Amino acid sequence: MAKEISFSEFLKEGALQKERVPEKEITNEKPQPIRLEPDDVASETEVKEFWKRLRHFFRTGENPEKAPGIYVPALVAPYLRTGTWEMDYPYFLSPEREEGLPLEDLLIDTMSVVFSESEAILLRKNIHRLLVHFKGAFHPGTAMVTFQDARDYALGRLAKLEVHGEEGERFTADVERLAENLPKGGVLLHFHHEVPLYFLQHRLERKESARLAYKERIRSRIEELRELLKVDEQKSGEKKGPEAGFDFASEMITLEKVSEMMPREGTSKMSSSRVERIKKLIEELQETLDSKENHAHLVVIEELKEEFRWKDIFTSSKFSFEDLDTAFKKVEEIFDANIVSFTNVLVAMRRAELEVHGKYEEDVHDDYFAHFKWFKLTEEELALFPPVFLITSGAHLLRDGISAFSKLISSNKPINLLALTNRTVSEVDPNVDWEDASRGFRQELSAIAISHRDAFTFQAATDQPGLLMEGLRGALRTTAPSVVQVLVPGVEDDPYVAFLKINAAADARYFPYLMYDCHRGLQWGSRFDIRHNSQPDKDWPIHPFSYQGTDGHQVEVQLPFTYADYKAMTQEKVDELFLVPESMVTDQLIALDKYLQLPQEETTGKVPYIWLVDEHNRMHRAALPYMWAVSCQERLDFWNFIQELGGLNSYHVKRALQESRIQWELEKEKELVAMRATHERELKEVKRNAAGEALDRMVGLLLDENGIEVSSAERPKTKKEASPVPKEDEESEDPISEKVVAPAPEPEEEEMKAEAWVETFRCTSCNDCTEKFPAIFRYNEEKQAYIEDASKGTFEQLVIAAENCPASCIHPGEPLDPKEPNLDELRKRAAKFN
């Protein structure tokens, strides 16, 4: 659990400055609810004058009326007040584990294994206290502590908890039992700008363990080659040196060991050329075992030399600090020099495999291996190569090194590039009035890397350690060039403030998470992964927000978190906004997300806004200058580009679905027209038959009433056509005259109401409608939704389901209950889905 952050701590001049002590003393007063307060009614003249100033601000960005006080985006305010957001730090790494995991998960998992549900009750209740003690083991400003030191410190502090009597004895025993079962090695990492480097070091150690295992294979091959030579010496009766001094038993063992290595005609001596070849192989492979290699070769640009403790983190790697101009040449030189010797080792191992199995053919393999190049190695073999890394800053690379970067990626050599970025807002362009003021799209390192097609590309931030570990593992596993860009906090940043801002950077589409694995599949779309972003199918993530309205009632709304909201997390950016009093709000003031969806011709005269909350929990609409809208459109465009690559919210998919829907609706309409025509014919026929039967019964009744016995066969038949009806005459002289009664007027056919329905074949099985409204929606055998019974829910529920459906396959139809409230508004919302 994070500490509470006040507005004055969070928003201050400049982005991510070092935390300072709040000026005001913290009190126990309950904060006022977030609310929208009314103000005095403004006259028409006042509104007109205000909007004149507001539109001038929108066009120029000139804002002489900066409001005093501190403001934050509405969706951020609740987090600052409560300080309850969660993070996966401290994070545990162990040399024995492929993956890391959050410390809290490690403690809970260990306790679930060690204790039954009825045991360690008090220890379980103090799990968060224990986490706080673990965090206390970190020295200020450091990213890492050994797990053993942190464990001893934290459990020692927890054991001092005052618990008396038998309960205290049980508690002490439980703490000791937990200590015995926690890992003995490994490290803990805290949220820090050095975290990506520790993760990289962990991956390099795991990679080194695989290389050590391969060295054991080399050692085994050397022994097998030596055994071949010994056996050959035994055949010739030669005794050379101490290696020939074997007794009978050892000779038998040796012969058994190499029996499968020798050809069937193994009684013959090896040729002198083969003997020399094997001796040379032994010499080459032995040199590999004797050499002391580094885990990796790291070329770091000079400007990062003092920002990180390189030698403390990378204890087994070789360093070189270069300026950006020479860094690219340096990594290629290192790769070219080391790949040759590495390939020679792998070639020697391949030849050794052939020799010990008696399959080496001089005429074939001499020429083949003489022209063998590194790119003929398998993925498993290349994975053993000591990595070569170029470590730089993202901004520096895009500003000065983009040409060299592109050339390096195009070489298709498996060289790794790690770009560390610590700017959480765009760099200010000195040629324009304020940030993002030009219409030119910002360069994106990830987009440039992806455009090369054959480069593993990964972009993430330090707020998600598990995802960061996954990306680094992929970068070190690939046989292609890799580009990893990581958003990190600044060296002097307060960790809690930095964590919230970095997390929001991904939410606002400023720095989205993405992975492009060029070797994942044959289809281009299968190589992308953007699922770790918040609500990746939407333009902006939408979150619930609650506030107290001007009438005092609670209001529940859904607010998007846009790039403008993200920029407003910094006070110097808030000063660029224009607060709009509630009395000055007109229908020309439009929420930013709606404004960005308008056609260009409909934006004239309109001004976009976002919601802010001040330090007294009062809500305000903040109008944006035009250039903010431009920068938000640019970020949205980049995010839509990422979505298209990732197969979410795709224009082409939507278009195909729309065309399919139109075709389906046309066919459905034809079926409905035919069904209506058939229904009308059948209805008319039924009505005619019913009228005739009614006349038959009436005539029979009249004849029976006059005492005339008439058999059913003799009863007159009535005409189906309507006959004129004479006026009834009470004095009629003809007692048996036929009285024809006009049939009752046909009831007007009740208008058929459009029923709710689902295009089941388009359902994506997202579970939204079936989980929210299970009385209405069900899944069929293919796990696709259909309407079980629309009458078991409300029309509003059908409309909500349609609005939330990602495939837009739910059609609410018309309301079944004419008395349901808000039908006019609900019909309007339903119209676009019917």
Side-chain angles (χ1 to χ4, degrees), residues 526-750:
S526 66
R527 303 171 183 176
F528 290 89
D529 185 357
I530 62 171
R531 58 191 165 88
H532 293 282
N533 292 280
S534 177
Q535 302 176 33
D537 58 321
K538 294 182 173 62
D539 283 349
W540 311 103
I542 298 174
H543 304 284
F545 184 77
S546 175
Y547 68 93
Q548 184 177 294
T550 55
D551 58 359
H553 292 92
Q554 201 70 9
V555 180
E556 305 288 339
V557 294
Q558 300 287 324
L559 292 184
F561 190 76
T562 67
Y563 180 48
D565 293 274
Y566 170 68
K567 291 208 294 184
M569 293 175 70
T570 305
Q571 182 64 50
E572 61 186 359
K573 307 308 296 179
V574 173
D575 289 341
E576 296 176 6
L577 304 179
F578 194 107
L579 298 186
V580 180
E582 285 301 296
S583 60
M584 300 298 175
V585 173
T586 71
D587 57 3
Q588 298 296 296
L589 192 67
I590 300 178
L592 174 64
D593 60 318
K594 301 293 191 298
Y595 178 89
L596 295 176
Q597 297 299 327
L598 289 176
Q600 185 68 34
E601 60 273 12
E602 295 183 21
T603 61
T604 304
K606 296 180 173 60
V607 177
Y609 76 91
I610 60 173
W611 283 105
L612 299 181
V613 174
D614 65 22
E615 53 194 323
H616 303 294
N617 274 7
R618 294 174 300 201
M619 292 182 66
H620 304 269
R621 299 176 205 258
L624 313 178
Y626 174 69
M627 290 309 175
W628 271 50
V630 170
S631 66
C632 291
Q633 186 64 65
E634 187 275 332
R635 286 294 83 195
L636 181 57
D637 184 85
F638 174 60
W639 171 243
N640 290 156
F641 165 73
I642 297 300
Q643 284 181 310
E644 196 76 42
L645 294 176
L648 295 174
N649 199 22
S650 169
Y651 163 79
H652 298 287
V653 172
K654 286 182 176 180
R655 183 176 178 181
L657 288 174
Q658 181 66 17
E659 291 175 354
S660 175
R661 178 181 178 180
I662 292 172
Q663 184 63 31
W664 185 87
E665 287 177 347
L666 289 174
E667 295 176 359
K668 192 73 175 178
E669 184 62 29
K670 290 179 182 179
E671 293 178 9
L672 290 173
V673 170
M675 290 173 62
R676 288 193 188 102
T678 302
H679 175 71
E680 289 174 359
R681 286 196 302 270
E682 292 176 349
L683 186 61
K684 289 179 180 179
E685 183 67 25
V686 169
K687 288 177 179 178
R688 284 196 297 268
N689 292 339
E693 292 175 1
L695 289 174
D696 280 346
R697 288 194 296 273
M698 181 62 71
V699 170
L701 180 61
L702 292 173
L703 291 177
D704 288 342
E705 287 178 350
N706 285 277
I708 301 174
E709 295 183 3
V710 182
S711 66
S712 61
E714 295 173 335
R715 288 177 180 169
K717 304 295 182 181
T718 61
K719 295 181 180 180
K720 292 182 179 180
E721 297 80 37
S723 304
V725 182
K727 293 182 179 179
E728 186 176 342
D729 186 359
E730 295 180 359
E731 302 293 329
S732 175
E733 295 180 356
D734 186 359
I736 61 172
S737 60
E738 184 178 15
K739 293 182 180 180
V740 181
V741 180
E746 295 182 6
E748 294 183 6
E749 185 177 350
E750 185 177 346

